[in-house]
């Protein structure tokens, strides 16, 4: 286990009242959180979203990505379902950090795609560690989820870490002229599945 559960409090939102649960990485002290809606106990798979931190999209309304749109849609879907979890995975810019993300944006302004920009900065296409999310699910007492994601890598990593992913639920929203190339790169170079069909696994 790489994390410990350290704090919780109610979080009222436009979509309803969530329980905000904070986690701390044992090795680094870095923090992550979960937003829990309703009663997630029992054997029934829980609708869940792993949302990687994106300050520019989540808080600054950037159209360069689909992150802010996905965050709001996931919270709405979970609230409509009546129970679910959003893990807010605090690994900004696919875990290259905010300042390197800005540097990557500058390279993209010069013609690089999102993967090429990471490579030019000396990073992998995706530096995130999704095994932390498996630990968060386990600390919440959840072992079976229907995962809101377009990224099959998340499904594979969580499954290998002992989380039963019973379905992949697409979350396709927010496409616009400013992020069309970004989304195409995610599909062609990172294997994201940008279709609209729910995939039982």
């Amino acid at each position: 286990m790489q994390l410990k559960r350290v704090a919780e409090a109610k979080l009222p939102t436009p979509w309803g009242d969530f329980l905000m649960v904070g986690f701390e990485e044992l090795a680094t002290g870095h923090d992550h959180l979960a937003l829990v809606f309703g009663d997630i106990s029992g054997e029934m798979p829980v609708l869940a979203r792993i949302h990687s931190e994106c300050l520019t999209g989540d808080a600054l309304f950037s159209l360069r990505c689909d992150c802010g749109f996905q965050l709001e849609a996931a919270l709405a879907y979970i609230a409509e379902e009546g129970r679910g979890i959003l893990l807010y995975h605090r690994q900004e810019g696919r875990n290259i950090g905010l300042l390197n993300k800005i540097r990557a944006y500058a390279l993209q302004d010069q013609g690089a795609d999102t993967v090429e920009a990471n490579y030019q900065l000396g990073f992998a296409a995706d530096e995130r560690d999704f095994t932390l999310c498996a630990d968060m699910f386990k600390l919440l007492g959840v072992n079976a989820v229907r995962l809101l994601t377009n990224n099959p890598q998340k499904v594979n990593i969580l499954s290998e870490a002992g989380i039963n992913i019973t379905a992949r639920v697409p979350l396709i929203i927010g496409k616009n002229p400013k992020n069309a190339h970004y989304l195409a790169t995610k599909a062609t170079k990172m294997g994201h599945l940008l279709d609209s069909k729910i995939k039982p696994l």
Side-chain angles (χ1 to χ4, degrees), residues 10 25-26 104 109 165 185 188:
K10 294 179 181 177
E25 289 186 44
L26 299 176
D109 290 341
I165 311 297
T185 300
T188 59

Side-chain angles (χ1 to χ4, degrees), residues 23-198:
F23 302 89
E24 183 179 288
E25 289 186 44
L26 299 176
T28 65
H30 294 163
D31 48 47
H32 305 270
L33 63 88
L35 298 180
V36 178
F37 193 91
D39 183 359
I40 59 171
S41 63
E43 298 299 318
M44 184 181 298
V46 176
L47 183 65
R49 165 74 180 164
I50 295 172
H51 187 86
S52 294
E53 180 178 38
C54 177
L55 178 69
T56 48
D58 298 343
L60 301 179
F61 315 108
S62 172
L63 296 177
R64 298 185 74 129
C65 63
D66 53 349
C67 302
F69 300 101
Q70 288 187 321
L71 176 61
E72 292 195 15
L75 291 172
Y77 292 157
I78 288 168
E80 183 178 357
E81 178 97 353
R83 64 194 291 267
I85 302 168
L86 184 135
L87 300 184
Y88 199 80
H89 188 219
R90 300 201 61 212
Q91 296 193 343
E92 178 74 45
R94 298 196 192 118
N95 206 25
I96 67 173
L98 179 61
L99 297 183
N100 281 321
K101 180 180 179 179
I102 296 171
R103 294 183 181 105
Y105 279 171
L107 292 170
Q108 291 168 41
D109 290 341
Q110 298 167 25
D113 64 35
T114 182
V115 171
E116 293 165 348
N118 269 29
Y119 289 159
Q120 289 178 39
L121 291 171
F123 298 108
D126 193 338
E127 295 273 347
R128 291 172 293 182
D129 179 4
F130 292 117
T131 61
L132 294 170
C133 301
D135 284 352
M136 282 190 270
F137 281 131
K138 291 172 184 177
L139 287 167
L140 291 168
V142 170
N143 292 310
V145 303
R146 293 160 42 234
L147 194 64
L148 278 161
T149 187
N150 306 323
N151 184 355
Q153 182 186 24
K154 290 180 182 178
V155 174
N156 295 337
I157 292 172
L158 291 175
S159 297
E160 290 173 3
I163 303 299
N164 179 18
I165 311 297
T166 63
R168 181 186 70 82
V169 182
L171 187 62
I172 301 172
I173 192 168
K175 183 176 181 180
N176 65 79
K178 300 290 187 181
N179 68 17
H181 182 57
Y182 163 82
L183 293 176
T185 300
K186 288 209 296 186
T188 59
K189 290 191 174 183
M190 303 186 72
H192 287 217
L193 304 172
L194 300 182
D195 58 40
S196 58
K197 297 179 181 178
I198 296 176

